[in-house]
Amino acid sequence: MDKKIADAVRERAQEGKLSCGAAFRIAEELKVNPLRVGEMADELDVRLYRCQLGLFGYDGEESIVRPAEEVSPELELAIREGLVVGRLPCAVAWALANRFDIRKLDVANATENLGIRIGQCQLGAF
């Protein structure tokens, strides 16, 4: 399986970088944990970029997260309920985006407004 993951990472990497979206597609196609894809990218010196939560890997600026102007009470409560050791796990942020039918970036922007950090990247980037 490691060879298949390595081949897929090499195939999709461009200029030594693999987007988070591509990494998750590899995990889904090969039916492996996304963390394993992130680890393989690291082993191959392939850098992850274009975090789907907007946290890292954007041309010209590292992060595209900006504090949301407003956060609904329902979303704030859900974010606070999802905290683990004071941080919102990446997987929980994704689930909240799906639950509230908003972009993943919108969840990150809400956490920025609330002064909450996102942690536990599913690809192991942070």
Side-chain angles (χ1 to χ4, degrees):
M1 183 53 71
D2 279 352
K3 182 177 178 350
K4 286 183 180 183
I5 297 169
D7 289 346
V9 168
R10 283 188 196 101
E11 179 182 308
R12 299 216 180 134
Q14 298 176 358
E15 299 177 14
K17 297 189 293 187
L18 180 70
S19 73
C20 288
F24 276 95
R25 284 189 292 281
I26 290 168
E28 185 176 317
E29 289 167 8
L30 297 179
K31 296 179 180 20
V32 297
N33 188 310
L35 180 59
R36 187 63 200 117
V37 177
E39 290 170 342
M40 182 58 70
D42 192 44
E43 289 174 31
L44 297 172
D45 279 333
V46 172
R47 189 169 169 212
L48 296 171
Y49 79 114
R50 294 192 59 84
C51 166
Q52 294 182 63
L53 288 169
L55 299 173
F56 65 87
Y58 288 85
D59 297 331
E61 46 189 320
E62 188 59 19
S63 171
I64 60 170
V65 176
R66 303 291 178 263
E69 289 185 27
E70 293 181 43
V71 179
S72 73
E74 297 83 10
L75 179 57
E76 179 177 357
L77 179 62
I79 288 170
R80 293 194 186 282
E81 288 176 342
L83 297 180
V84 175
V85 191
R87 291 181 179 234
L88 186 68
C90 177
V92 174
W94 281 40
L96 292 176
N98 188 47
R99 176 176 155 195
F100 286 89
D101 195 26
I102 57 177
R103 299 176 308 159
K104 294 171 185 119
L105 179 59
D106 293 332
V107 175
N109 291 340
T111 62
E112 188 73 13
N113 171 293
L114 300 170
I116 293 170
R117 309 241 345 158
I118 295 176
Q120 300 175 345
C121 171
Q122 296 172 82
L123 295 171
F126 56 89

